[in-house]
Amino acid sequence: MFNDTIIKAAKGEKTDYTPVWFMRQVGRSQPEYNKVKEKYSLLEITRQPELTAYLTATPVENYNVDAAVLYKDIVSPLAPIGIDVDIKPGIGPVIQNPIRDIKDVEKLGELDPYKDLDYIYKTIEILTKEKLNVPLIGFCGAPFTVASYMIEGGPSKNYHRTKQMMYNQPETWFKLMDKLADMNIRYLRAQVESGASMIQIFDSWGGALNSEDYAYYLSPAMKKIISSVKEMGAPVIIFGIGASHLLSEWDDLGTDVIGLDWRTSIDQARAAGVKKALQGNLDPALLLADWDVIEKQTKTILDQGKNNGHIFNLGHGVFPEVDPETLRKLTSFVHEYSKGQ
């Protein structure tokens, strides 16, 4: 039987229990993943549909979570449009031809998803037709987050080059936002067409902007992406780090679910006027704490989220040191405790 509990929760409908998934549940905390990584890089894995499907489905089987999340990286669609990108271990995405001016933006091509990234859509079809009895979450990187890599040339702590372009070259900036919005629309619509039931937009670094700048420089592109995906009936989640000041702006984007990091409680989000479904938000560091500490914090989150349209998750991703047994135990606890609410 297909378990659609997380879809109902995303739509704010009553559920029998609180659904659970974990960001980065496919990753270095899993022994199966580490075994594969001994042989292949991240990009090599994602280009092998059977292998990627195996890794994507493994956390569902191991932890009994209520959704799978597609294993890939937010920069996956960049190479086809002309960005020379590699993912360096211990660093992240590194770009050899960073964007510097409007001419660089004009050189960017258009994504042809089924031609350029056929292995991703083959993976989705294997998962949704053969392996999963829970929804598959597809995803993309939000335009600001992806643009920051493209402009900085890699990860950044301050986004100075990105903001410099945004403020000093608005024509270049908005042209880049349009390019990235169109790329993500093609990318995400093909994910849904292939079988993904939900979409999460990782606006990982959007919190680096104040709410006024976000509204002016980013919201138009975000709304364009979100409305296009929602036309297809797939609920959309937005998530970022250190973005509590953006709650009102995110609430106006049209998403179905707002993901919270561990710094903002569900009660605080509700007090700020957010009425839609919320996702989160146990501090990932707590997964290394004693079980009684984890249980206490989880109860607080579940008590705040009950009857409110809530998807349980971490406030950021699972990190390598986490014991897989802790995730299995936590999933079971969330299910059982929330049934009694």
Side-chain angles (χ1 to χ4, degrees):
M1 180 182 289
F2 188 75
N3 173 7
D4 66 347
T5 305
I6 197 168
I7 302 292
K8 291 177 179 176
K11 295 178 178 179
E13 298 174 8
K14 181 71 176 175
T15 57
D16 294 333
Y17 62 87
T18 299
V20 187
W21 72 283
F22 301 109
M23 288 180 283
R24 293 186 190 158
Q25 64 187 25
V26 186
R28 289 176 293 165
S29 62
Q30 286 191 104
E32 297 91 343
Y33 174 84
N34 288 323
K35 189 172 181 180
V36 170
K37 280 287 285 182
E38 290 175 4
K39 190 172 182 180
Y40 301 109
S41 70
L42 186 154
L43 291 177
E44 287 170 339
I45 293 169
T46 61
R47 290 177 180 137
Q48 300 179 68
E50 291 285 352
L51 184 58
T52 306
Y54 160 71
L55 290 176
T56 299
T58 298
V60 180
E61 298 161 2
N62 288 354
Y63 310 142
N64 196 33
V65 287
D66 297 281
V69 58
L70 187 62
Y71 178 75
K72 59 184 178 64
D73 193 87
I74 61 170
V75 298
S76 295
L78 292 187
I81 67 169
I83 296 296
D84 184 359
V85 59
D86 192 15
I87 298 174
K88 301 286 188 182
I91 299 175
V94 175
I95 288 168
Q96 300 300 325
N97 57 337
I99 300 294
R100 291 287 177 260
D101 54 38
I102 198 163
K103 291 179 181 178
D104 292 332
V105 178
E106 289 169 345
K107 291 176 187 174
L108 297 175
E110 288 190 350
L111 181 70
D112 184 344
Y114 292 113
K115 176 175 174 288
D116 298 329
L117 300 170
D118 62 308
Y119 49 89
I120 289 179
Y121 304 105
K122 287 176 182 174
T123 301
I124 294 173
E125 289 178 0
I126 292 169
L127 284 163
T128 55
K129 292 180 180 177
E130 301 175 19
K131 288 185 175 289
L132 297 177
N133 67 340
V134 296
L136 175 67
I137 300 172
F139 67 86
C140 76
F144 179 84
T145 294
V146 175
S148 74
Y149 290 116
M150 297 170 72
I151 297 166
E152 305 284 344
S156 172
K157 293 182 178 179
N158 49 46
Y159 313 101
H160 287 168
R161 282 185 178 272
T162 307
K163 291 183 179 182
Q164 180 185 28
M165 178 178 288
M166 192 177 75
Y167 294 132
N168 287 354
Q169 302 181 56
E171 184 182 357
T172 303
W173 177 261
F174 285 113
K175 196 172 190 69
L176 180 58
M177 290 298 99
D178 285 342
K179 284 273 188 182
L180 293 177
D182 290 343
M183 179 192 79
N184 276 331
I185 287 169
R186 292 166 183 253
Y187 187 42
L188 295 178
R189 287 181 71 91
Q191 288 183 44
V192 177
E193 286 171 355
S194 298
S197 298
M198 301 176 69
I199 293 296
Q200 176 154 305
I201 299 176
F202 282 91
D203 202 359
S204 304
W205 316 133
L209 298 182
N210 64 48
S211 57
E212 291 79 9
D213 282 348
Y214 192 99
Y216 182 72
Y217 291 104
L218 297 179
S219 286
M222 291 292 288
K223 288 178 179 178
K224 189 176 175 182
I225 296 167
I226 292 162
S227 63
S228 184
V229 174
K230 287 189 64 173
E231 282 175 5
M232 304 181 75
V236 178
I237 307 165
I238 187 170
F239 174 77
I241 301 295
S244 59
H245 60 292
L246 298 178
L247 283 176
S248 295
E249 188 56 39
W250 278 2
D251 201 31
D252 290 336
L253 292 178
T255 60
D256 300 275
V257 184
I258 292 178
L260 304 174
D261 75 5
W262 68 94
R263 300 171 181 88
T264 307
S265 70
I266 292 172
D267 280 355
Q268 287 172 330
R270 295 299 182 207
V274 178
K275 293 183 171 58
K276 60 186 57 174
L278 294 171
Q279 177 177 279
N281 63 336
L282 189 73
D283 186 339
L286 281 166
L287 295 177
L288 298 181
D290 293 336
W291 175 252
D292 60 337
V293 178
I294 298 173
E295 183 178 295
K296 180 181 177 182
Q297 294 293 327
T298 300
K299 283 181 178 178
T300 298
I301 292 168
L302 292 172
D303 287 345
Q304 291 184 18
K306 66 181 179 180
N307 303 319
N308 274 326
H310 179 218
I311 298 167
F312 187 86
N313 207 315
L314 306 177
H316 200 194
V318 178
F319 50 93
E321 295 80 6
V322 174
D323 184 346
E325 175 59 22
T326 301
L327 296 177
R328 188 202 63 75
K329 188 174 181 180
L330 179 57
T331 304
S332 178
F333 177 77
V334 171
H335 286 166
E336 291 304 314
Y337 183 81
S338 60
K339 281 179 183 176
Q341 291 184 312

